[in-house]
């Protein structure tokens, strides 16, 4: 099983890559994490936001296989504690399908992506900048794995 993080946005600051990579490299070989970046659609002076979101969504959907379990990050998604995320991760691992986690662009996930999602997750009620979301997501999945593996990283 793999975790694929499909994120709209490229050219992140170096601190994002550093933070994200730090947690990804800690993941065990049986649970590798892959980042797939989707370029943001052009937004000019009078942008057609609906069209931009749809274009980004189409590119995201191209990265998802028919059997993948899809999690869309969404403001109205489920709020989980880290321990509950660990329980979900254990269940998803038993299911055996690859997991695709969708991070939408500045205007959110496309409707088609939300319809394709098997699960909707909210990381926080706070509005987090998209670069930081990548790091938080990687850290939380590492922490969830550490709980399942009885690794001392998680100290609640």
């Amino acid at each position: 099983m793999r975790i694929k993080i499909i994120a709209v946005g490229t050219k992140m600051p170096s601190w994002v890559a550093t933070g994200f990579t730090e947690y990804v490299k800690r993941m065990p070989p049986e649970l590798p994490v892959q980042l797939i970046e989707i370029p943001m659609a052009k937004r000019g002076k009078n942008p057609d936001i609906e069209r931009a979101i749809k274009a980004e969504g189409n590119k995201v959907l191209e990265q998802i296989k028919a059997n993948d379990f899809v999690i869309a990050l969404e403001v109205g998604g489920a709020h989980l504690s880290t321990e509950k995320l660990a329980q979900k991760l254990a269940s998803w691992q038993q299911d055996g399908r690859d997991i695709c986690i969708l991070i939408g662009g500045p205007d959110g996930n496309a409707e088609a992506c939300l319809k394709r999602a098997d699960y909707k997750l909210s990381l926080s009620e706070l509005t987090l900048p998209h670069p930081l979301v990548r790091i938080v997501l990687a850290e939380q999945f590492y922490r969830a794995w550490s709980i399942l593996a009885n690794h001392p990283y998680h100290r609640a």
Side-chain angles (χ1 to χ4, degrees):
M1 182 186 120
R2 293 181 304 158
I3 298 174
K4 298 185 288 186
I5 298 174
I6 306 171
V8 175
T10 57
K11 300 178 185 166
M12 294 292 123
S14 62
W15 62 267
V16 174
T18 301
F20 181 81
T21 302
E22 179 59 36
Y23 292 107
V24 167
K25 74 181 183 186
R26 295 179 186 190
M27 293 297 285
E30 67 273 10
L31 197 57
V33 176
Q34 174 188 11
L35 175 65
I36 300 168
E37 294 182 312
I38 305 296
M40 264 183 27
K42 299 266 189 245
R43 288 166 171 80
K45 287 185 179 181
N46 297 313
D48 183 345
I49 300 298
E50 294 288 325
R51 195 157 112 200
I53 295 170
K54 188 174 182 177
E56 292 164 355
N58 289 337
K59 295 283 186 191
V60 167
L61 291 172
E62 289 173 6
Q63 300 299 320
I64 300 171
K65 294 180 181 156
N67 195 38
D68 288 344
F69 184 83
V70 178
I71 302 169
L73 294 186
E74 186 64 23
V75 173
H79 293 264
L80 300 176
S81 66
T82 302
E83 292 80 7
K84 294 279 186 197
L85 178 62
Q87 291 171 3
K88 289 280 187 191
L89 180 59
S91 172
W92 297 330
Q93 283 181 288
Q94 288 178 351
D95 185 43
R97 298 187 285 167
D98 285 348
I99 297 173
C100 292
I101 305 171
L102 313 183
I103 303 174
D107 301 297
N109 280 302
E111 188 62 34
C113 292
L114 295 175
K115 285 182 180 174
R116 172 60 181 87
D118 299 294
Y119 191 78
K120 294 178 183 92
L121 175 66
S122 174
L123 292 180
S124 172
E125 291 186 16
L126 299 171
T127 301
L128 301 173
H130 283 76
L132 188 56
V133 167
R134 295 177 184 201
I135 299 169
V136 170
L137 190 60
E139 192 279 338
Q140 284 299 295
F141 270 84
Y142 172 68
R143 186 176 294 272
W145 169 82
S146 74
I147 290 170
L148 297 174
N150 292 316
H151 187 281
Y153 178 78
H154 178 71
R155 294 177 189 94

